[in-house]
Amino acid sequence: MENQILIGIIAVSAAVFVIATVFYYPDVIKKILFRLGLGMAGIAGANYCLSLIGAGIYVGLNPLSILVLLVLGGPGVVLLYGIEAYGKFFI
């Protein structure tokens, strides 16, 4: 029961935060969506180029990678490919 109350409080707080951000700072949303778009295009382009040279390093677009792109933008692309390369070559 306590977990459901905690999840409800977190959900309501997140909704209030998002609504307040959109209302008071609409440019922030544009900036975040621009970062997301560039990051997704960067991943698609890098996947294509790496497949041409046969590197075998691919980063998928899933909710976790999209979250990384929303928060970090361009450095997030480098981070995702760094993690993938580390996993491929050292593990």
Side-chain angles (χ1 to χ4, degrees), residues 38-48 58-61 65 69 76-77 80-81:
L38 284 180
M40 290 173 65
I43 285 179
N47 280 342
Y48 178 72
Y58 305 104
V59 172
L61 290 173
S65 64
L69 292 175
V77 174
L80 290 170
Y81 276 102

Side-chain angles (χ1 to χ4, degrees), residues 15-81:
V16 168
F17 176 74
V18 168
I19 291 169
T21 301
V22 169
F23 183 71
Y24 289 112
Y25 305 107
D27 293 338
V28 171
I29 301 301
K30 291 178 190 175
K31 184 178 178 182
I32 288 173
L33 292 176
F34 183 71
R35 256 192 278 182
L36 176 64
L38 284 180
M40 290 173 65
I43 285 179
N47 280 342
Y48 178 72
C49 291
L50 289 172
S51 70
L52 288 178
I53 64 172
I57 300 173
Y58 305 104
V59 172
L61 290 173
N62 54 45
L64 183 61
S65 64
I66 289 175
L67 180 65
V68 169
L69 292 175
L70 283 173
V71 173
L72 296 177
V77 174
V78 176
L79 175 71
L80 290 170
Y81 276 102

Side-chain angles (χ1 to χ4, degrees), residues 5 7 9-10 13 15 22-23 29 38 44 54 63 83-84 86-87 90:
I5 293 172
I7 291 171
I9 291 172
I10 291 171
S13 298
V22 169
F23 183 71
I29 301 301
L38 284 180
I83 291 170
E84 183 68 26
Y86 179 79
F90 295 113

